[in-house]
Each structure stands twice: as C-alpha cells, then as structure tokens.
Amino acid sequence: MARWLLLHLTLLWLGTTRLLGQGRSLHTPWVGQSSLFDLDFPQKARGTLQIPDNGSAPLLVNVQVFVSNVFNVDILRYTLSSVLLLRLSWLDARLAWNASAHPQRAVTLPWDSLWTPAFTIQEALWVDWQDQSPRARVEQDGHVELYLALTTETNCNFELLHFPRDQSDCSLSFYALSNTVAELEFQAAAVNEIVGAKREYVVRDLKTQALPQRLVPCFQVTVSLQNTALKAIVALLVPGEVLLWADVCGALLPLRAIERIAYKVTLLLGYLVFHSSLVQALPSSSSCNPLLTHYFTVLLLLLCLSTMETVLLAGLLATRSPGPAPGGEQQDRGSPVPTPGEPPRGAKGSGRSWAEAADHIFVCVYVAGVVCSQFVFTGIWMWASCKSDPAPGEAAAHGRQPRL
C-alpha cells in the first residue's frame, strides 16, 4: 500500500512539472495562424521575437508622435523637457489567425511576447517610460498596434541671437539600433496636443522627417518654440532703458553742483550691479550670443563716459576757481557773499564759461549718441542674422565616413 501511494505521488509530480513547462512556453510569443490558439507549437513561438520578414522590402512601421506637454525650457542649460506618446503600427503576418475558426477580432499581448522596435533618443539626457509593461493590440490580419508614453529631457540648440524674441527648433531623433535600414523603415507624423499656452515658451509647429545616410532606421521630430518675451522685457529691457534716460536727465543739474557727481556715480554703481546679475541671467553661446549682451555693454560704456565727463570737467572747474582767503582773513563787510555756483567777484569767469560750454556740447553729443544707438540697435535687431558654427559631430555624422 505504501509503495503504491509513493508511486502515485511520483506520477502526479511528473505530470505537474510537465504542465508548468508548457505554461512557461505560453509566455513566449505565438507564431503563425494556429500558434495563437494552439498549445502544441511552443517551439515556433520564439520566431515572433524576430523582426517580421517583408521580403525584399523593409518592414514599414507607421509612427504617430503626440506631443502633449513641453513643461520646462531651460536656456541656460540648453535643455527641453517634454511628454510624448508614440503610436506604432505595423503588419506581422505571423500573428494572423483564421477568423472562421477563432472569431475573436483582436487580442492584447504583452509587448515582450512579440517583436517591437526598440528606440533610442539621440539628444536625450534621460528618458522615463511611463508604462513599463505596455500591451500590444493584434488584429485578425496580423495588424499590430502599440502605444508608448514617455517623459524625456533632451538637449536643444537654442538660437538666442534675438533673445527675448527668439525662435528655436529642438530636435528629437529616434533610432532603432537593433535593426538596419534594409530591415526596417519608419513613416512618421507629429501631432500637437498641447492645450495650454500660459507659459514663457510656446510650441508653434511640429514636423517630422527621415534622416538620410544612416545605417540604422531613424526619424526626427522637430519642435518649433517661440519665446513670449514678456518676462524678459520687464526684467531686462525696462531697467536698462530707465537708467540710461535717467543719466541723460542728470545733465540738467549744474556742473558745479556736488549733487550732480553723486547722482552720476549712484547711477553707474546701480547699473554695475544690474549688469553683473544680467550676465548670469543671459545665456552664453560659442557662436551667436544674444544681442542684448552687446546692447547692455554699450549702455555701460555710455554711463561710464558720462560719469567720467562730469568728474573731469568738475575737477577742472574747481582747480581754476580761486580758493578761500588764507589765514582766516575775513572779507569786507560791504561785499556781498558769493552764492553757490557763482565765482567770487573780481575773479575771472573764463574757466567757468569754458567748462560750461564744453559740458553743453558734450550733453548735446551724448543725447544724439543715445538716440542714434537706439535706432542702430533696432535696425540690427530686425535685420541681423547669425549662422552658428557647425558642430564637431557634423563632420562625421552617424552613418558617414569622417572627413579628412
């Protein structure tokens, strides 16, 4: 009795092990018209992990890229953060089945149970695939549809010459490194699904293109961004213009007045503090720096020139004016006390008239120079363009031989 019970348990254990082995084979992909529903062909299941054979032509994969959000544009780090949704569809005849025998119109399969293209974004610093186990929808004729959602931060070559009214094109290049162009081909399209425009940078256009002369299949999505510029205008342009015209108004103070020098020096120190913070706020580039960098540097030079002129003429005027009476000798009681800004009676006024005439001429030239600088900068802003230097990698792009 004990032997018979032991033999029965052994046979039961062997049968359970065989069923578990068959269950593991079901996790591998199904192949052919009968492999979706027939459990007798586990050895054929491994074939669906290979790219479908389309004869002499490469397999065509349709890709729709839905851009749902661009939530961070960092011009100082030259990065762009976005949320994307990829809709992939292709035909895999190995997954088709007989509709009369099996009336199911479609089934859902784990993405790792069949062949799917594996993407690598060339410009990405990091990529977060939101669904780690997506499921593919397979129809009766073998048509496969797969959705992939991701959040990524990518490098972007911002064109900042006209900052803060800049427009830039940021590229996201998707490569399928596991295949060749003879095996796989992408047909891509982009859809803008961003519904909110209350941000500094807004997406104006989306376009896709195939990258030529590549050894691996790839397509590129280009996101066109435009700066709304309101924040930069209020924070940068307005303070600079106010300080410049305040310096022009300082010429109304008398040259002999001590307050004029203090006024000029205060404006210059205030602009130096503003300029130091401005240098940190504006981005820098190896090719085309923002025009505002040069503009604010010109404003700084104008303020320095105006302050130096005031100090120089005031110093010359002070050296030519007679000093106080030596030894504490008092003036005649009948003589009037000289008022500030007026030389003592009997002193020559040629020094004062010369200094005031020179100051008047400088102020006129200075005001004309300030007005002309505004028009010149406006013209440069409207018509100037800058072609960035080619990147070092463009001499030997992917799929091409390095240039000698």
Side-chain angles (χ1 to χ4, degrees), residues 352-375:
R352 177 184 177 186
S353 60
W354 175 85
E356 290 181 347
D359 181 66
H360 179 71
I361 295 175
F362 176 83
V363 169
C364 294
V365 174
Y366 183 73
V367 172
V370 169
V371 174
C372 291
S373 67
Q374 304 301 306
F375 284 103

Side-chain angles (χ1 to χ4, degrees), residues 115-379:
W115 176 87
T116 57
F119 289 111
T120 299
I121 304 178
Q122 182 182 18
E123 298 85 359
L125 300 177
W126 55 264
V127 179
D128 182 17
W129 299 94
Q130 298 180 7
D131 190 355
Q132 299 297 329
S133 300
R135 300 184 67 86
R137 175 185 172 87
V138 183
E139 298 180 355
Q140 292 177 351
D141 58 351
H143 184 81
V144 183
E145 189 174 86
L146 177 65
Y147 288 88
L148 300 176
L150 66 147
T151 302
T152 180
E153 183 181 56
T154 57
N155 286 321
C156 180
N157 294 325
F158 294 106
E159 296 294 340
L160 299 173
L161 180 68
H162 294 92
F163 178 84
R165 297 296 298 175
D166 54 293
Q167 298 181 7
S168 303
D169 293 335
C170 301
S171 300
L172 290 83
S173 304
F174 292 82
Y175 285 82
L177 301 179
S178 301
N179 304 103
T180 63
V181 292
E183 299 175 334
L184 182 61
E185 180 183 352
F186 291 112
Q187 185 175 357
V191 180
N192 188 355
E193 288 194 335
I194 300 176
V195 296
K198 296 181 179 179
R199 59 196 68 197
E200 185 177 1
Y201 280 87
V202 296
V203 178
R204 293 302 183 188
D205 188 23
L206 287 175
K207 58 184 178 181
T208 58
Q209 63 176 347
L211 299 179
Q213 300 181 357
R214 297 297 192 271
L215 295 176
V216 296
C218 57
F219 65 92
Q220 188 178 75
V221 179
T222 303
V223 182
S224 298
L225 299 174
Q226 182 177 359
N227 194 350
T228 57
L230 179 60
K231 176 181 177 182
I233 289 177
V234 174
L236 301 178
L237 288 178
V238 173
E241 291 292 328
V242 168
L243 288 175
L244 178 63
W245 290 107
D247 180 70
V248 172
C249 295
L252 299 177
L253 295 174
L255 183 61
R256 293 179 60 87
I258 303 178
E259 292 80 3
R260 179 171 176 178
I261 297 180
Y263 180 80
K264 294 277 189 176
V265 172
T266 302
L267 285 180
L268 180 60
L269 293 178
Y271 190 79
L272 286 174
V273 175
F274 171 74
H275 192 271
S276 62
S277 61
L278 177 68
V279 172
Q280 299 178 0
L282 287 178
S284 59
S285 173
S286 59
S287 300
C288 300
N289 288 302
L291 287 175
L292 284 183
T293 303
H294 308 285
Y295 176 70
F296 288 124
T297 302
V298 172
L299 293 188
L300 178 61
L301 294 177
L302 289 176
L303 289 177
C304 290
L305 182 63
S306 176
T307 304
M308 291 172 59
E309 182 269 343
T310 299
V311 173
L312 180 61
L313 291 183
L316 291 177
L317 186 59
T319 55
R320 294 195 174 211
S321 300
E329 184 179 350
Q330 298 181 356
Q331 300 177 351
D332 297 337
R333 295 183 179 181
S335 61
V337 179
T339 58
E342 180 182 353
R345 181 174 298 180
K348 294 183 179 181
S350 60
R352 177 184 177 186
S353 60
W354 175 85
E356 290 181 347
D359 181 66
H360 179 71
I361 295 175
F362 176 83
V363 169
C364 294
V365 174
Y366 183 73
V367 172
V370 169
V371 174
C372 291
S373 67
Q374 304 301 306
F375 284 103
V376 170
F377 176 76
T378 303

Side-chain angles (χ1 to χ4, degrees), residues 3-222:
R3 293 180 179 178
W4 180 85
L5 181 60
L6 181 61
L7 179 61
H8 180 72
L9 292 176
T10 303
L11 293 176
L12 181 62
W13 177 79
L14 290 175
T16 305
T17 304
R18 180 174 300 177
L19 289 176
L20 291 177
Q22 292 178 355
R24 282 194 297 269
S25 66
L26 292 176
H27 183 67
T28 58
W30 299 288
V31 184
Q33 296 182 356
S34 60
S35 61
L36 278 173
F37 305 99
D38 194 347
L39 305 182
D40 296 333
F41 300 96
Q43 66 276 10
K44 297 181 180 179
R46 300 186 185 90
T48 56
L49 292 179
Q50 303 296 327
I51 184 172
D53 187 9
N54 199 26
S56 60
L59 177 66
L60 182 62
V61 176
N62 294 313
V63 183
Q64 282 187 314
V65 182
F66 299 90
V67 181
S68 59
N69 192 11
V70 175
F71 59 90
N72 187 24
V73 178
D74 193 339
I75 60 175
L76 297 180
R77 296 177 56 240
Y78 284 83
T79 58
L80 168 72
S81 301
S82 55
V83 179
L84 309 175
L85 176 64
L86 305 181
R87 179 183 178 272
L88 312 175
S89 60
W90 66 94
L91 181 63
D92 191 348
R94 302 170 301 179
L95 301 177
W97 67 87
N98 190 353
S100 59
H102 304 283
Q104 291 91 338
R105 298 184 57 183
V107 295
T108 57
L109 304 177
W111 69 278
D112 55 353
S113 64
L114 70 161
W115 176 87
T116 57
F119 289 111
T120 299
I121 304 178
Q122 182 182 18
E123 298 85 359
L125 300 177
W126 55 264
V127 179
D128 182 17
W129 299 94
Q130 298 180 7
D131 190 355
Q132 299 297 329
S133 300
R135 300 184 67 86
R137 175 185 172 87
V138 183
E139 298 180 355
Q140 292 177 351
D141 58 351
H143 184 81
V144 183
E145 189 174 86
L146 177 65
Y147 288 88
L148 300 176
L150 66 147
T151 302
T152 180
E153 183 181 56
T154 57
N155 286 321
C156 180
N157 294 325
F158 294 106
E159 296 294 340
L160 299 173
L161 180 68
H162 294 92
F163 178 84
R165 297 296 298 175
D166 54 293
Q167 298 181 7
S168 303
D169 293 335
C170 301
S171 300
L172 290 83
S173 304
F174 292 82
Y175 285 82
L177 301 179
S178 301
N179 304 103
T180 63
V181 292
E183 299 175 334
L184 182 61
E185 180 183 352
F186 291 112
Q187 185 175 357
V191 180
N192 188 355
E193 288 194 335
I194 300 176
V195 296
K198 296 181 179 179
R199 59 196 68 197
E200 185 177 1
Y201 280 87
V202 296
V203 178
R204 293 302 183 188
D205 188 23
L206 287 175
K207 58 184 178 181
T208 58
Q209 63 176 347
L211 299 179
Q213 300 181 357
R214 297 297 192 271
L215 295 176
V216 296
C218 57
F219 65 92
Q220 188 178 75
V221 179
T222 303

